[in-house]
Amino acid sequence: MTAAVEIIASFLAGLGRAQFFLLNILGGVPAALARPRLVIQQLYMVGALSLIIIVISGSFIGMVLALQGYRTLVRFGAEDSLGVLVTLSIIRELGPVVTALLFAGRAGSALAAEIGLMKATDQLSAMEMMATDPIKRVIAPRFVAGVIAVPLLTAIFCVMAIGIAGGHAIGVDLLGVDAGSYWSQIRSSTEIADIQQMLIKAGVFGFTVSWIAVYQGYHAAPTSEGVSRATTSTVVVSSLAILALDFVLTAFMFR
Amino acid sequence: MTTPTPQADDVLVRVRGLSFGYGSRVIYDGIDVDIPRGKVTAIMGPSGTGKTTLLRLIGGQWQPGAGTVAFDGTDVHQLKRRELYTLRKRMGMLFQNGALLTDLNVFDNVAYPLREHTKLPESIIRDLVLMKLQAVGLRGARDLWVSQLSGGMARRVALARALALDPEMVMYDEPFAGQDPITMGVLMRLIRTLNDALGLTSIVVSHDIQEVLSIADQAYVIANGKIAAHGTPAELRAHASPWVQQFLSGADDGPVSFHAKAPDYLADLMGAAK
């Protein structure tokens, strides 16, 4: 019983610390934006370097959706709707969720490990002793870069999955769905609201994953076990948070 | 404490009744330390006595449980964050492994505090950085990355960085740990000559006794949360306490026993000491 209370108490305390930390980060954001070079550097690290995994995953997920969707649709003679099926599944759900999960694994873990190691090697302390705030110089630029990167990566993921290599390649080029009906059906049934919702989801996920990653790194125990634990919990906590938030957001968006 | 208190103006850092602990573990139990201006002060003690902790307390990174740390008359722990940062520009600190920023090269590491705190044009920053690097003998290493430096070089670059803002005081955390004799000699000479040439005040935390005593003007020996001994190197060498003598000479047996507390050896072997 007391053990359960302790677990809940430490969970709540961690949540409180994380929120307090978030306020600190947000306070450091203007300073980070005042030095765009730092943000751009981090945008390259977390965004541009994640491109390959996003492009490849997007293509494969689009291809699989097209294969599966075609098998079902062709039974009803509705294979012209393949584009709609792929597009709505990707834009509404798979695009933001899978991109965020991949981002957590590729960039979130790297962020946590980097910050944790900077802490373990006293770099953050050294900054403090040089009278520069590590929140402004290290944490906020990485956080901002993550928040910007995820919506951009999600858009690229969707384009790859629907058009260039995914659904289009399988549906139109391989299975012989008419290209005109593939695209026109997409145009007629996808609304601007779908794309807005995709971007909202992607923004929320980017915010959450970046927050979790910098928090885990900054609060890692300054040892090799501590850094490895921070990396692992970044991926685990982020993944759970993404899936749970996706449910909540979807429930609100499609009332 | 029987510490003879020097004249107020001569003391840059005055520590009074300082207590600190992690949880139930007591690191400091009401210690008094005076760091005289313009001198090299050594802080020595067995491993795990919290010598580094003292530097972090002086730098205001950690809060003491009780007591005060005054830097040039200002209580470090009463300051607001902004004031503390202003004060820290007057202190340099050399961390044990250098703590260089790994995403910058040598030049940019030394330039970092200048770029953060001054609006100097790049040409002047370049000159200043090269002067600091020249002082530690690494002007030729300006383009290297941190991963390409040896441990001793990393410490010298970190020293150049600590000196970048022309601080009044430099704190050295275990500057000699794990260094070969040549590097050790270089670092010793650097600490002493920079202290005298730049009019610095230096605090050197170390347990390389002979090395640190050879460059220090005065030394504190800390053990079990207290000041065990204090004085000039000559006074310490003549200290009456057998513990201090054992600590300075590094004898394996004495007041600090070689063996952990155990029942009688013979009885233990014969199985009688259950």
Side-chain angles (χ1 to χ4, degrees):
Chain A
M1 182 61 200
T2 48
V5 171
E6 258 172 45
I7 290 172
I8 294 171
S10 83
F11 173 75
L12 288 178
L15 215 57
R17 268 199 304 277
Q19 286 181 17
F20 194 67
F21 187 61
L22 179 65
L23 290 180
N24 272 336
I25 300 174
L26 294 178
V29 166
L33 293 177
R35 275 179 295 186
R37 211 172 61 87
L38 287 178
V39 177
I40 291 169
Q41 209 176 359
Q42 291 309 319
L43 206 50
Y44 174 77
M45 301 293 278
V46 298
L49 294 184
S50 306
L51 262 180
I52 293 180
I53 186 176
I54 294 294
V55 164
I56 294 176
S57 314
S59 311
F60 276 114
I61 285 181
M63 293 198 293
V64 165
L65 265 182
L67 280 179
Q68 293 281 8
Y70 184 83
R71 266 173 47 148
T72 310
L73 290 173
V74 81
R75 271 199 261 169
F76 307 102
E79 64 269 27
D80 284 351
S81 303
L82 184 64
V84 181
L85 178 106
V86 173
T87 305
L88 291 186
S89 335
I90 292 287
I91 287 192
R92 286 185 180 165
E93 285 300 329
L94 289 172
V97 171
V98 176
T99 305
L101 290 174
L102 292 170
F103 182 83
R106 159 66 184 76
S109 57
L111 275 183
E114 189 193 11
I115 296 171
L117 268 177
M118 290 181 89
K119 187 179 180 193
T121 53
D122 280 332
Q123 293 184 47
L124 299 182
S125 290
M127 283 185 175
E128 275 188 29
M129 284 307 296
M130 287 187 284
T132 54
D133 189 348
I135 299 274
K136 289 180 185 156
R137 172 62 170 63
V138 175
I139 306 296
R142 283 165 174 74
F143 175 78
V144 171
V147 174
I148 298 174
V150 175
L152 296 178
L153 291 172
T154 304
I156 292 169
F157 182 97
C158 292
V159 169
M160 291 309 297
I162 298 162
I164 301 171
H168 190 267
I170 293 294
V172 176
D173 301 334
L174 190 71
L175 299 173
V177 175
D178 178 53
S181 43
Y182 184 87
W183 287 117
S184 65
Q185 292 251 4
I186 291 178
R187 279 201 63 176
S188 62
S189 25
T190 310
E191 291 164 24
I192 197 75
D194 288 320
I195 294 178
Q196 281 170 354
Q197 286 167 3
M198 173 198 88
L199 289 176
I200 290 174
K201 277 189 179 181
V204 170
F205 295 160
F207 186 93
T208 313
V209 174
S210 311
W211 175 20
I212 292 171
V214 294
Y215 172 80
Q216 293 287 352
Y218 197 78
H219 291 84
T223 57
S224 28
E225 295 99 323
V227 174
S228 89
R229 200 172 304 144
T231 327
T232 311
S233 21
T234 299
V235 177
V236 172
V237 177
S238 300
S239 306
L240 291 177
I242 290 163
L243 296 173
L245 277 173
D246 183 51
F247 172 75
V248 174
L249 288 172
T250 309
F252 273 107
M253 286 170 177
F254 299 106
R255 267 185 305 180
Chain B
M1 244 13 257
T2 53
T3 316
T5 312
Q7 290 301 304
D9 295 337
D10 296 342
V11 177
L12 184 62
V13 179
R14 180 174 278 119
V15 176
R16 285 293 173 269
L18 187 74
S19 297
F20 184 80
Y22 304 105
S24 60
R25 193 173 150 229
V26 176
I27 303 289
Y28 291 124
D29 184 13
I31 60 165
D32 296 346
V33 175
D34 285 322
I35 308 293
R37 226 180 264 272
K39 298 276 168 49
V40 176
T41 303
I43 310 279
M44 305 185 293
S47 308
T49 41
K51 303 185 291 295
T52 305
T53 307
L54 183 62
L55 297 187
R56 290 188 187 258
L57 286 166
I58 293 175
Q61 286 191 296
W62 292 348
Q63 289 287 331
T68 57
V69 176
F71 179 87
D72 203 11
T74 318
D75 187 341
V76 173
H77 298 101
Q78 297 298 320
L79 294 177
K80 296 198 177 63
R81 194 178 173 79
R82 192 177 296 267
E83 297 164 337
L84 182 62
Y85 273 19
T86 312
L87 188 73
R88 279 186 189 156
K89 292 180 199 167
R90 298 167 60 192
M91 310 175 179
M93 178 149 172
L94 185 73
F95 286 81
Q96 192 169 347
N97 53 18
L100 295 171
L101 305 179
T102 39
D103 55 346
L104 303 176
N105 67 12
V106 166
F107 183 94
D108 289 332
N109 259 292
V110 181
Y112 177 79
L114 293 168
R115 288 184 178 142
E116 291 289 322
H117 294 305
T118 68
K119 291 195 166 44
L120 295 172
E122 199 56 28
S123 61
I124 294 186
I125 288 188
R126 180 175 180 276
D127 290 350
L128 285 172
V129 170
L130 292 185
M131 283 158 71
K132 303 296 174 191
L133 282 174
Q134 174 74 10
V136 298
L138 289 178
R139 191 164 44 85
R142 73 187 94 159
D143 294 324
L144 293 183
W145 288 92
V146 171
S147 55
Q148 296 171 298
L149 300 175
S150 69
M153 285 164 89
R155 277 174 219 195
R156 279 150 74 189
V157 173
L159 180 53
R161 183 180 67 177
L163 295 172
L165 289 175
D166 292 322
E168 293 163 43
M169 177 176 84
V170 179
M171 299 186 275
Y172 300 86
D173 185 7
E174 298 281 3
F176 312 121
Q179 296 303 314
D180 61 73
I182 297 178
T183 312
M184 225 179 219
V186 168
L187 288 168
M188 276 164 57
R189 231 177 5 264
L190 266 178
I191 292 173
R192 186 72 240 184
T193 50
L194 286 174
N195 187 79
D196 298 344
L198 303 177
L200 297 171
T201 300
S202 304
I203 308 178
V204 185
V205 157
S206 179
H207 47 219
D208 293 293
I209 307 297
Q210 301 315 324
E211 287 76 14
V212 75
L213 281 187
S214 70
I215 56 166
D217 296 307
Q218 64 149 358
Y220 284 86
V221 180
I222 297 177
N224 303 322
K226 300 272 191 198
I227 305 285
H230 162 237
T232 64
E235 284 167 3
L236 282 184
R237 290 200 177 94
H239 203 275
S241 150
W243 184 89
V244 172
Q245 284 306 327
Q246 188 192 0
F247 181 74
L248 293 182
S249 66
D252 64 348
D253 218 348
V256 180
S257 166
F258 170 69
H259 292 288
K261 204 173 265 179
D264 180 64
Y265 188 35
L266 184 62
D268 212 1
L269 286 179
M270 304 303 279
K274 286 267 165 81

Coordinates of all heavy atoms in Angstrom, one line a residue, chain A residues 108-181:
Chain A
G108 N 14.8 12.0 -30.6 CA 14.6 12.2 -29.1 C 15.7 11.5 -28.3 O 16.2 12.1 -27.4
S109 N 16.0 10.3 -28.7 CA 17.0 9.5 -27.9 C 18.3 10.2 -28.0 O 19.1 10.3 -27.1 CB 17.0 8.1 -28.4 OG 17.3 8.1 -29.8
A110 N 18.6 10.7 -29.2 CA 19.9 11.3 -29.4 C 20.0 12.6 -28.6 O 21.1 12.9 -28.0 CB 20.1 11.7 -30.9
L111 N 18.9 13.4 -28.6 CA 18.9 14.6 -27.7 C 19.1 14.3 -26.3 O 20.0 14.9 -25.6 CB 17.5 15.3 -27.8 CG 17.2 16.2 -29.0 CD1 15.8 16.8 -28.8 CD2 18.3 17.3 -29.0
A112 N 18.4 13.3 -25.8 CA 18.6 12.9 -24.4 C 20.0 12.5 -24.1 O 20.6 12.9 -23.1 CB 17.6 11.8 -24.0
A113 N 20.5 11.6 -25.0 CA 21.9 11.1 -24.7 C 22.9 12.3 -24.8 O 23.8 12.4 -23.9 CB 22.2 10.1 -25.8
E114 N 22.7 13.2 -25.7 CA 23.7 14.3 -25.9 C 23.7 15.2 -24.6 O 24.7 15.5 -24.0 CB 23.4 15.1 -27.1 CG 24.4 16.1 -27.4 CD 24.0 17.1 -28.5 OE1 22.8 17.2 -28.8 OE2 24.9 17.9 -29.0
I115 N 22.5 15.5 -24.2 CA 22.4 16.4 -23.0 C 22.8 15.7 -21.8 O 23.5 16.3 -21.0 CB 20.9 16.9 -22.9 CG1 20.5 17.8 -24.1 CG2 20.7 17.7 -21.6 CD1 19.1 18.2 -24.2
G116 N 22.5 14.4 -21.7 CA 22.9 13.7 -20.5 C 24.4 13.6 -20.4 O 25.0 13.7 -19.4
L117 N 25.1 13.4 -21.6 CA 26.5 13.3 -21.6 C 27.2 14.7 -21.3 O 28.2 14.7 -20.6 CB 27.0 12.8 -23.0 CG 27.2 11.3 -23.0 CD1 27.6 10.9 -24.4 CD2 28.3 10.9 -22.0
M118 N 26.5 15.7 -21.8 CA 27.0 17.1 -21.5 C 27.0 17.3 -20.0 O 27.9 17.9 -19.4 CB 26.2 18.1 -22.2 CG 26.4 18.2 -23.7 SD 25.4 19.5 -24.5 CE 26.6 20.8 -24.4
K119 N 25.9 16.8 -19.4 CA 25.8 16.9 -17.9 C 26.9 16.1 -17.3 O 27.6 16.5 -16.3 CB 24.4 16.5 -17.5 CG 24.2 16.8 -16.0 CD 22.8 16.3 -15.6 CE 22.6 16.6 -14.2 NZ 21.4 16.0 -13.7
A120 N 27.1 14.8 -17.7 CA 28.0 13.9 -17.1 C 29.4 14.4 -17.2 O 30.3 14.2 -16.3 CB 27.9 12.5 -17.7
T121 N 29.7 15.1 -18.3 CA 31.1 15.6 -18.5 C 31.3 17.1 -18.0 O 32.2 17.8 -18.4 CB 31.5 15.5 -19.9 OG1 30.5 16.2 -20.7 CG2 31.7 14.1 -20.4
D122 N 30.3 17.5 -17.1 CA 30.4 18.8 -16.5 C 30.3 20.0 -17.5 O 30.6 21.1 -17.1 CB 31.7 19.0 -15.7 CG 31.6 18.3 -14.4 OD1 30.5 18.2 -13.8 OD2 32.7 17.9 -13.9
Q123 N 29.9 19.7 -18.7 CA 29.8 20.9 -19.7 C 28.7 21.8 -19.2 O 28.8 23.1 -19.4 CB 29.5 20.4 -21.1 CG 30.6 19.6 -21.7 CD 30.4 19.2 -23.1 OE1 29.9 20.0 -23.9 NE2 30.6 17.9 -23.4
L124 N 27.6 21.3 -18.7 CA 26.5 22.2 -18.3 C 26.9 23.0 -17.1 O 26.7 24.2 -17.0 CB 25.2 21.4 -18.0 CG 24.7 20.6 -19.2 CD1 23.4 19.9 -18.8 CD2 24.4 21.5 -20.4
S125 N 27.6 22.3 -16.1 CA 28.1 23.1 -15.0 C 29.1 24.1 -15.4 O 29.1 25.3 -14.9 CB 28.9 22.1 -14.0 OG 28.0 21.3 -13.4
A126 N 30.0 23.8 -16.4 CA 31.0 24.7 -16.8 C 30.3 26.0 -17.4 O 30.7 27.1 -17.2 CB 31.9 24.1 -17.9
M127 N 29.2 25.7 -18.2 CA 28.5 26.9 -18.7 C 28.0 27.8 -17.6 O 28.0 29.0 -17.7 CB 27.3 26.4 -19.5 CG 27.7 25.9 -20.9 SD 26.2 25.5 -21.8 CE 27.0 25.1 -23.3
E128 N 27.4 27.1 -16.6 CA 26.9 27.9 -15.4 C 28.0 28.7 -14.8 O 27.8 29.9 -14.4 CB 26.2 27.0 -14.4 CG 24.8 26.7 -14.7 CD 24.1 25.9 -13.6 OE1 24.6 26.1 -12.4 OE2 23.2 25.1 -13.9
M129 N 29.2 28.1 -14.6 CA 30.3 28.8 -14.0 C 30.8 29.9 -14.9 O 31.4 30.8 -14.4 CB 31.4 27.8 -13.6 CG 31.1 27.0 -12.4 SD 30.7 28.0 -11.0 CE 32.1 28.9 -10.7
M130 N 30.5 29.8 -16.2 CA 30.9 30.9 -17.1 C 29.8 31.9 -17.2 O 29.8 32.7 -18.1 CB 31.3 30.3 -18.5 CG 32.6 29.6 -18.5 SD 33.1 29.2 -20.2 CE 32.1 27.8 -20.5
A131 N 28.8 31.8 -16.3 CA 27.7 32.7 -16.2 C 26.9 32.7 -17.5 O 26.3 33.7 -17.9 CB 28.2 34.1 -16.0
T132 N 26.8 31.5 -18.2 CA 25.8 31.4 -19.3 C 24.8 30.4 -18.9 O 25.2 29.3 -18.3 CB 26.5 31.0 -20.6 OG1 27.3 29.8 -20.4 CG2 27.4 32.1 -21.1
D133 N 23.6 30.6 -19.2 CA 22.5 29.7 -18.8 C 22.4 28.5 -19.7 O 22.1 28.7 -20.9 CB 21.2 30.5 -18.7 CG 20.1 29.7 -18.1 OD1 20.3 28.5 -17.9 OD2 19.1 30.3 -17.8
P134 N 22.7 27.3 -19.3 CA 22.6 26.2 -20.2 C 21.1 26.0 -20.8 O 21.0 25.4 -21.9 CB 23.0 25.0 -19.4 CG 23.1 25.4 -18.0 CD 23.1 26.9 -18.0
I135 N 20.1 26.4 -20.0 CA 18.8 26.3 -20.6 C 18.7 27.1 -21.9 O 18.1 26.7 -22.8 CB 17.8 26.9 -19.5 CG1 17.8 26.0 -18.2 CG2 16.3 26.9 -20.1 CD1 17.0 24.8 -18.2
K136 N 19.3 28.3 -21.8 CA 19.1 29.2 -23.0 C 20.1 28.7 -24.2 O 19.7 28.8 -25.3 CB 19.5 30.6 -22.7 CG 18.5 31.3 -21.8 CD 18.8 32.7 -21.5 CE 17.9 33.3 -20.5 NZ 18.4 34.4 -19.7
R137 N 21.2 28.2 -23.8 CA 22.2 27.9 -24.8 C 22.1 26.5 -25.4 O 22.3 26.3 -26.5 CB 23.6 28.1 -24.2 CG 24.8 27.7 -25.0 CD 24.9 28.5 -26.3 NE 26.1 28.2 -27.0 CZ 26.5 27.1 -27.5 NH1 25.8 26.0 -27.3 NH2 27.7 27.0 -28.2
V138 N 21.7 25.6 -24.5 CA 21.6 24.2 -24.9 C 20.2 23.6 -25.1 O 19.9 23.0 -26.1 CB 22.4 23.3 -23.9 CG1 22.3 21.8 -24.2 CG2 23.9 23.7 -23.9
I139 N 19.4 23.9 -24.0 CA 18.1 23.2 -24.0 C 17.1 23.8 -24.9 O 16.5 23.2 -25.8 CB 17.5 23.2 -22.6 CG1 18.6 22.6 -21.6 CG2 16.2 22.4 -22.5 CD1 18.9 21.2 -21.8
A140 N 16.9 25.2 -24.8 CA 15.9 25.8 -25.6 C 16.1 25.7 -27.1 O 15.1 25.4 -27.8 CB 15.8 27.3 -25.2
P141 N 17.3 25.9 -27.6 CA 17.4 25.7 -29.1 C 17.0 24.3 -29.6 O 16.4 24.1 -30.6 CB 18.9 25.9 -29.4 CG 19.4 26.7 -28.2 CD 18.5 26.3 -27.0
R142 N 17.4 23.2 -28.7 CA 17.0 21.9 -29.1 C 15.5 21.7 -29.1 O 15.0 21.0 -29.9 CB 17.8 20.9 -28.2 CG 19.2 20.7 -28.6 CD 20.1 20.1 -27.5 NE 21.4 19.8 -27.9 CZ 22.4 20.7 -28.1 NH1 22.1 22.0 -27.8 NH2 23.6 20.4 -28.5
F143 N 14.9 22.2 -28.1 CA 13.5 22.1 -27.9 C 12.8 22.8 -29.1 O 11.9 22.2 -29.7 CB 13.1 22.8 -26.6 CG 11.6 22.8 -26.4 CD1 10.9 21.7 -25.9 CD2 10.9 24.0 -26.6 CE1 9.5 21.7 -25.7 CE2 9.5 24.0 -26.4 CZ 8.8 22.9 -25.9
V144 N 13.2 24.0 -29.4 CA 12.5 24.7 -30.5 C 12.7 24.0 -31.8 O 11.8 23.8 -32.6 CB 13.1 26.2 -30.6 CG1 12.7 26.8 -31.9 CG2 12.8 27.0 -29.4
A145 N 13.9 23.4 -32.0 CA 14.2 22.7 -33.3 C 13.3 21.5 -33.4 O 12.7 21.2 -34.4 CB 15.7 22.3 -33.3
G146 N 13.1 20.8 -32.3 CA 12.2 19.6 -32.3 C 10.8 20.0 -32.6 O 10.1 19.3 -33.4
V147 N 10.3 21.1 -32.0 CA 8.9 21.5 -32.3 C 8.7 21.9 -33.7 O 7.7 21.7 -34.3 CB 8.6 22.7 -31.3 CG1 7.2 23.3 -31.7 CG2 8.6 22.3 -29.9
I148 N 9.7 22.5 -34.3 CA 9.6 22.9 -35.8 C 9.8 21.7 -36.6 O 9.1 21.5 -37.7 CB 10.7 23.9 -36.1 CG1 10.6 25.2 -35.3 CG2 10.7 24.3 -37.6 CD1 11.7 26.2 -35.5
A149 N 10.6 20.8 -36.3 CA 11.0 19.7 -37.2 C 9.9 18.7 -37.4 O 9.6 18.2 -38.5 CB 12.2 18.9 -36.6
V150 N 9.1 18.3 -36.3 CA 8.2 17.3 -36.4 C 7.0 17.6 -37.5 O 6.8 16.7 -38.3 CB 7.6 16.8 -35.1 CG1 6.5 15.8 -35.2 CG2 8.7 16.3 -34.2
P151 N 6.4 18.8 -37.4 CA 5.4 19.0 -38.5 C 6.0 19.0 -39.9 O 5.4 18.4 -40.8 CB 4.9 20.4 -38.2 CG 5.2 20.6 -36.7 CD 6.4 19.8 -36.4
L152 N 7.2 19.5 -40.1 CA 7.8 19.4 -41.4 C 8.1 18.0 -41.8 O 7.8 17.6 -43.0 CB 9.2 20.2 -41.4 CG 9.1 21.7 -41.1 CD1 10.5 22.3 -41.1 CD2 8.2 22.3 -42.2
L153 N 8.6 17.2 -40.9 CA 8.9 15.8 -41.2 C 7.6 15.0 -41.5 O 7.5 14.2 -42.4 CB 9.6 15.1 -40.1 CG 11.0 15.5 -39.8 CD1 11.6 14.9 -38.6 CD2 11.9 15.1 -41.0
T154 N 6.5 15.4 -40.7 CA 5.2 14.7 -41.0 C 4.7 15.0 -42.4 O 4.2 14.1 -43.1 CB 4.2 15.2 -39.9 OG1 4.7 15.0 -38.6 CG2 2.9 14.5 -40.1
A155 N 4.8 16.3 -42.8 CA 4.4 16.6 -44.2 C 5.2 15.8 -45.2 O 4.6 15.3 -46.2 CB 4.6 18.1 -44.4
I156 N 6.5 15.7 -45.0 CA 7.3 14.9 -45.9 C 6.9 13.4 -45.9 O 6.7 12.8 -47.0 CB 8.8 15.1 -45.6 CG1 9.2 16.5 -45.9 CG2 9.6 14.1 -46.4 CD1 10.5 16.9 -45.3
F157 N 6.6 12.9 -44.7 CA 6.2 11.5 -44.6 C 4.9 11.3 -45.4 O 4.8 10.4 -46.1 CB 5.9 11.3 -43.1 CG 5.5 9.9 -42.8 CD1 6.4 8.9 -42.3 CD2 4.2 9.5 -42.9 CE1 6.1 7.6 -42.0 CE2 3.8 8.2 -42.6 CZ 4.7 7.3 -42.1
C158 N 3.9 12.3 -45.3 CA 2.7 12.1 -45.9 C 2.8 12.1 -47.5 O 2.3 11.3 -48.2 CB 1.7 13.2 -45.5 SG 1.2 13.0 -43.8
V159 N 3.7 13.1 -47.9 CA 3.9 13.2 -49.4 C 4.5 11.9 -49.9 O 4.1 11.4 -50.9 CB 4.8 14.4 -49.7 CG1 5.2 14.4 -51.1 CG2 4.0 15.7 -49.4
M160 N 5.5 11.4 -49.2 CA 6.1 10.1 -49.6 C 5.1 9.0 -49.6 O 5.1 8.2 -50.5 CB 7.3 9.7 -48.7 CG 8.5 10.6 -48.7 SD 9.1 10.9 -50.4 CE 9.6 9.3 -50.9
A161 N 4.3 8.9 -48.6 CA 3.4 7.7 -48.4 C 2.2 7.8 -49.5 O 1.8 6.8 -50.0 CB 2.8 7.7 -47.0
I162 N 1.7 9.0 -49.7 CA 0.6 9.1 -50.6 C 1.0 9.1 -52.1 O 0.5 8.4 -52.9 CB -0.3 10.3 -50.3 CG1 -0.8 10.2 -48.8 CG2 -1.4 10.5 -51.3 CD1 -1.2 11.6 -48.3
G163 N 1.9 10.0 -52.4 CA 2.2 10.3 -53.8 C 3.4 9.7 -54.3 O 3.3 8.7 -55.1
I164 N 4.6 10.1 -54.0 CA 5.8 9.8 -54.7 C 6.1 8.3 -54.8 O 6.2 7.8 -55.9 CB 7.0 10.6 -54.2 CG1 6.6 12.1 -54.2 CG2 8.2 10.3 -54.9 CD1 7.6 13.0 -53.5
A165 N 6.2 7.7 -53.6 CA 6.8 6.4 -53.6 C 5.8 5.3 -53.1 O 5.9 4.2 -53.3 CB 8.1 6.3 -52.9
G166 N 4.8 5.8 -52.3 CA 4.0 4.8 -51.5 C 2.8 4.4 -52.3 O 2.9 3.5 -53.2
G167 N 1.7 4.9 -51.9 CA 0.4 4.5 -52.5 C 0.3 4.6 -54.0 O -0.2 3.7 -54.7
H168 N 0.9 5.7 -54.5 CA 0.9 5.9 -55.9 C 1.7 4.9 -56.7 O 1.2 4.3 -57.7 CB 1.4 7.3 -56.3 CG 1.2 7.7 -57.7 ND1 2.1 7.5 -58.7 CD2 0.1 8.3 -58.3 CE1 1.6 8.0 -59.8 NE2 0.4 8.5 -59.6
A169 N 2.8 4.6 -56.2 CA 3.7 3.6 -56.9 C 3.0 2.2 -56.9 O 3.0 1.6 -57.9 CB 5.0 3.5 -56.1
I170 N 2.4 1.8 -55.8 CA 1.8 0.5 -55.8 C 0.5 0.5 -56.5 O 0.2 -0.3 -57.4 CB 1.6 0.0 -54.3 CG1 3.0 -0.2 -53.7 CG2 0.8 -1.2 -54.2 CD1 3.8 -1.4 -54.3
G171 N -0.4 1.5 -56.1 CA -1.7 1.5 -56.6 C -1.8 1.8 -58.1 O -2.4 1.0 -58.9
V172 N -1.1 2.8 -58.5 CA -1.2 3.3 -59.9 C -0.2 2.5 -60.8 O -0.6 1.9 -61.8 CB -1.0 4.8 -60.0 CG1 -1.0 5.2 -61.5 CG2 -2.1 5.5 -59.2
D173 N 1.0 2.5 -60.4 CA 2.1 2.0 -61.3 C 2.1 0.4 -61.3 O 2.3 -0.2 -62.3 CB 3.5 2.5 -60.9 CG 3.5 4.0 -60.9 OD1 2.8 4.6 -61.7 OD2 4.3 4.6 -60.2
L174 N 1.7 -0.2 -60.2 CA 1.9 -1.6 -60.1 C 0.5 -2.3 -60.3 O 0.4 -3.2 -61.1 CB 2.4 -2.0 -58.8 CG 2.8 -3.5 -58.6 CD1 4.1 -3.8 -59.5 CD2 3.1 -3.9 -57.2
L175 N -0.5 -1.8 -59.6 CA -1.8 -2.6 -59.7 C -2.8 -2.0 -60.7 O -3.8 -2.5 -60.9 CB -2.5 -2.5 -58.3 CG -1.7 -3.2 -57.2 CD1 -2.3 -2.9 -55.8 CD2 -1.5 -4.7 -57.4
G176 N -2.4 -0.9 -61.3 CA -3.2 -0.4 -62.5 C -4.4 0.4 -62.2 O -5.3 0.5 -63.0
V177 N -4.4 1.0 -61.0 CA -5.5 2.0 -60.7 C -5.3 3.2 -61.6 O -4.2 3.6 -61.8 CB -5.5 2.4 -59.2 CG1 -6.6 3.5 -58.9 CG2 -5.8 1.2 -58.3
D178 N -6.4 3.8 -62.1 CA -6.3 4.9 -63.0 C -5.7 6.1 -62.2 O -6.3 6.5 -61.2 CB -7.6 5.2 -63.6 CG -7.6 6.4 -64.5 OD1 -6.7 6.4 -65.4 OD2 -8.3 7.4 -64.3
A179 N -4.7 6.7 -62.8 CA -4.0 7.8 -62.1 C -5.0 9.0 -61.9 O -5.0 9.7 -60.9 CB -2.8 8.3 -62.8
G180 N -5.8 9.3 -62.9 CA -6.7 10.4 -62.8 C -7.7 10.2 -61.7 O -8.0 11.1 -60.9
S181 N -8.3 9.0 -61.5 CA -9.3 8.8 -60.5 C -8.6 8.7 -59.1 O -9.1 9.2 -58.1 CB -10.1 7.6 -60.7 OG -9.4 6.5 -61.1

